[in-house]
């Protein structure tokens, strides 16, 4: 790929050698590659998304059997917009229209954890095996989490809202849709780009300077999985910033399950997310939500470490 | 005429839409004394049936939702 040539050229132009060269090379190459993939995917999906209206999905989910409904809700979580600020109104819309509580929760859990752009970037950066594990793991945590929270009777801790109706029409011409996709892509890239640069920077430092045996010695045990989840919660960043860090950690010998657990907990559990959820849930439900997701992520991490 | 822009805190598109509407109002010399208000309250959004943000209501009626309208579209609604 041309990105490799660009980064090689810059590294040699700077006259760097050894560890510094490896770090700078990683930084430039991965920043270019991730930005390029993001641009394509966000534009493409942004366009397709203009055809998916949350109102239609809500109607679709209302009378589905349990498995199909939960699976549908988690897939919808994948293609839903990036910011959890925009998933909460959808969650409320689901609840208001009588979509089962568990399915609405599954949507809410999956949405920040897996998104379509992350899938493509992960695939480009880390290969299909890890990407598949990530998707299947995320969907499983989302579905089981939503299902369990319902079975345990947590629905009563969701705040109730009156959901109204409006007859507002939505745009329909191709030009309109393209314009929407472009505006959205510009917006998303602008907000994600700093995370990518910083994330790749941290990845580059790990790649160039952290000795391999430091990671293989301390971070390969089973206990490292819950530790990765605990470390991931206060880290609040976009998943795009985590992927390059995880890439270099895996390169240094961090087990795949531990890596994925870290990535998921950074994306799915964060203090700002809880603050947002506080507006629609009581604290009992938020605590149960956080606990079940953490346990789910840890289980997935340990299982993947065992499998790979 | 009251204009409301719906979008929770943290939704960058929503804040930029509010600014865009204010620009249009300025360009129209604001003869109708228009005021734009940003609504971040989830309950109010829900009561208007809004699932996708940003959304805009003018005099209580939802005119746009889930997308960024162009300046021309906004102007048409305001005249």
């Amino acid at each position: 790929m041309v990105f490799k040539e660009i980064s090689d050229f810059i590294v040699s132009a700077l006259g760097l050698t050894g560890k510094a060269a490896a770090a700078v090379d990683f930084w430039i190459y991965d920043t270019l590659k991730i930005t390029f993939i993001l641009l394509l995917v966000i534009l493409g999906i942004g366009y397709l998304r203009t055809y998916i209206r949350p109102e239609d999905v809500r109607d679709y989910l209302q009378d589905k059997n349990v498995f199909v409904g939960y699976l549908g809700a988690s897939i919808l979580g994948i293609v839903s917009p990036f910011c959890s600020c925009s998933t909460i109104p959808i969650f409320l819309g689901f609840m208001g229209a009588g979509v089962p509580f568990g399915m609405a929760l599954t949507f809410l859990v999956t949405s920040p954890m897996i998104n379509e752009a992350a899938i493509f970037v992960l695939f480009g950066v880390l290969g299909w095996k890890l990407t598949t594990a990530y998707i299947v793991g995320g969907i499983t945590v989302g579905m089981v989490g939503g299902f369990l929270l319902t079975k345990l009777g947590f629905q009563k801790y969701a705040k109730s809202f009156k959901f109204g109706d409006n007859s507002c029409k939505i745009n329909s011409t191709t030009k309109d849709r393209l314009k929407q996709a472009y505006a959205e892509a510009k917006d998303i890239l602008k907000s994600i780009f700093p995370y990518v640069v910083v994330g790749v920077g941290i990845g580059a430092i790990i790649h160039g300077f952290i000795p391999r045996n430091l990671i293989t010695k301390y971070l390969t045990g089973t206990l490292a999985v819950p530790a990765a989840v605990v470390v991931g919660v206060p880290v609040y960043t976009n998943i795009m910033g985590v992927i390059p860090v995880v890439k270099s950690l895996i390169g240094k010998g961090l087990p795949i399950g531990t890596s994925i657990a870290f990535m998921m907990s950074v994306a799915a559990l964060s203090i700002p997310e809880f603050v947002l959820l506080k507006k629609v849930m009581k604290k009992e439900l938020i605590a149960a939500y956080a606990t079940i997701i953490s346990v789910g992520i840890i289980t997935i991490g340990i299982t993947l470490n065992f499998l790979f | 005429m009251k204009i409301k822009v719906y979008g929770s805190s943290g939704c960058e598109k929503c804040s930029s839409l509010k600014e865009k509407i204010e620009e249009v109002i300025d360009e129209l010399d604001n003869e109708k004394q228009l005021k734009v208000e940003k609504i971040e309250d989830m309950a109010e959004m829900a009561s208007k049936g809004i699932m996708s943000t940003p959304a805009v209501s003018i005099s209580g009626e939802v005119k746009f939702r889930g997308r960024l309208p162009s300046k021309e579209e906004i102007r048409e609604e305001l005249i």
Side-chain angles (χ1 to χ4, degrees):
Chain A
M1 284 277 254
V2 62
F3 306 131
K4 187 74 203 138
E5 273 123 48
I6 296 175
S7 60
D8 284 349
F9 176 78
I10 296 177
V11 169
S12 65
L14 291 172
L16 296 170
T17 50
K19 285 176 177 171
V24 172
D25 188 62
F26 183 101
W27 194 44
I28 297 171
Y29 176 74
D30 276 75
T31 305
L32 288 175
K33 185 170 167 181
I34 292 176
T35 310
F36 179 72
I37 299 176
L38 274 178
L39 191 73
L40 285 186
V41 175
I42 295 175
L43 262 178
I45 302 276
Y47 178 73
L48 292 179
R49 195 184 288 137
T50 61
Y51 288 93
I52 309 173
R53 299 191 317 132
E55 289 81 3
D56 297 336
V57 179
R58 174 189 66 191
D59 298 344
Y60 174 82
L61 285 177
Q62 274 174 43
D63 52 350
K64 284 290 163 290
N65 79 45
V66 175
F67 184 77
V68 177
Y70 277 91
L71 189 64
S74 65
I75 292 171
L76 175 70
I78 297 179
V79 298
S80 66
F82 279 73
C83 176
S84 43
C85 57
S86 52
T87 52
I88 289 184
I90 301 181
F91 173 76
L92 291 181
F94 284 176
M95 300 279 286
V99 168
F101 172 69
M103 290 179 198
L105 267 183
T106 297
F107 164 77
L108 205 58
V109 176
T110 327
S111 181
M113 202 155 53
I114 323 178
N115 70 56
E116 71 285 353
I119 292 176
F120 282 91
V121 171
L122 263 182
F123 179 74
V125 173
L126 289 163
W128 67 270
K129 248 193 207 168
L130 199 135
T131 310
T132 312
Y134 184 73
I135 300 171
V136 174
I139 289 181
T140 312
V141 171
M143 285 173 70
V144 173
F147 186 76
L148 274 182
L149 284 167
T150 312
K151 286 287 165 224
L152 295 172
F154 275 95
Q155 176 153 20
K156 59 175 181 285
Y157 297 110
K159 295 182 184 167
S160 68
F161 290 88
K162 250 218 330 260
F163 204 81
D165 209 357
N166 65 61
S167 55
C168 162
K169 270 195 243 119
I170 304 198
N171 59 319
S172 54
T173 67
T174 306
K175 201 179 148 206
D176 255 1
R177 291 178 197 275
L178 283 172
K179 260 196 346 219
Q180 284 308 310
Y182 174 74
E184 187 167 320
K186 210 172 66 178
D187 208 66
I188 295 174
L189 260 189
K190 213 166 62 188
S191 62
I192 292 183
F193 190 68
Y195 290 109
V196 173
V197 175
V198 172
V200 179
I202 296 172
I205 292 168
I206 296 171
H207 179 73
F209 299 100
I210 303 274
R212 189 183 171 89
N213 59 19
L214 196 74
I215 287 167
T216 47
K217 191 170 166 195
Y218 293 107
L219 298 176
T220 45
T222 301
L223 272 181
V225 179
V229 173
V230 172
V231 173
V233 177
V235 180
Y236 179 59
T237 170
N238 192 282
I239 180 138
M240 298 305 161
V242 192
I243 292 174
V245 176
V246 164
K247 177 195 171 183
S248 59
L249 286 171
I250 291 177
K252 294 282 176 182
L254 188 71
I256 284 182
T258 315
S259 315
I260 287 189
F262 177 64
M263 219 153 45
M264 283 182 170
S265 80
V266 168
L269 302 165
S270 70
I271 312 287
E273 169 94 14
F274 296 148
V275 172
L276 217 52
L277 288 179
K278 187 76 187 41
K279 295 180 183 169
V280 296
M281 294 176 179
K282 295 193 178 127
K283 53 185 187 301
E284 291 87 346
L285 179 54
I286 298 180
Y289 176 93
T291 311
I292 286 196
I293 296 173
S294 307
V295 172
I297 294 175
I298 292 169
T299 315
I300 294 280
I302 293 174
T303 313
L304 288 175
N305 277 349
F306 184 73
L307 288 176
F308 285 102
Chain B
M1 221 156 55
K2 241 193 191 155
I3 304 165
K4 290 180 176 178
V5 176
Y6 300 86
S8 41
S9 53
C11 169
E12 286 175 35
K13 266 192 295 189
C14 310
S15 315
S16 72
L17 178 57
K18 181 177 178 251
E19 287 164 24
K20 201 168 170 183
I21 296 175
E22 281 165 348
E23 280 169 31
V24 175
I25 292 176
D26 281 345
E27 286 166 18
L28 292 171
D29 293 331
N30 200 7
E31 285 164 6
K32 295 187 184 170
Q33 304 283 313
L34 304 170
K35 263 208 185 104
V36 190
E37 197 185 343
K38 174 133 188 266
I39 307 292
E40 300 189 346
D41 180 30
M42 303 282 177
E44 196 171 341
M45 265 183 249
S47 73
K48 282 281 175 195
I50 292 165
M51 280 175 80
S52 26
T53 55
V56 181
S57 77
I58 298 173
S59 306
E61 195 185 332
V62 180
K63 295 288 184 186
F64 307 106
R65 62 174 180 190
R67 66 190 190 99
L68 286 169
S70 68
K71 275 191 165 182
E72 290 74 45
E73 287 175 279
I74 299 169
R75 198 173 295 124
E76 268 172 37
E77 293 294 344
L78 294 184
I79 295 173

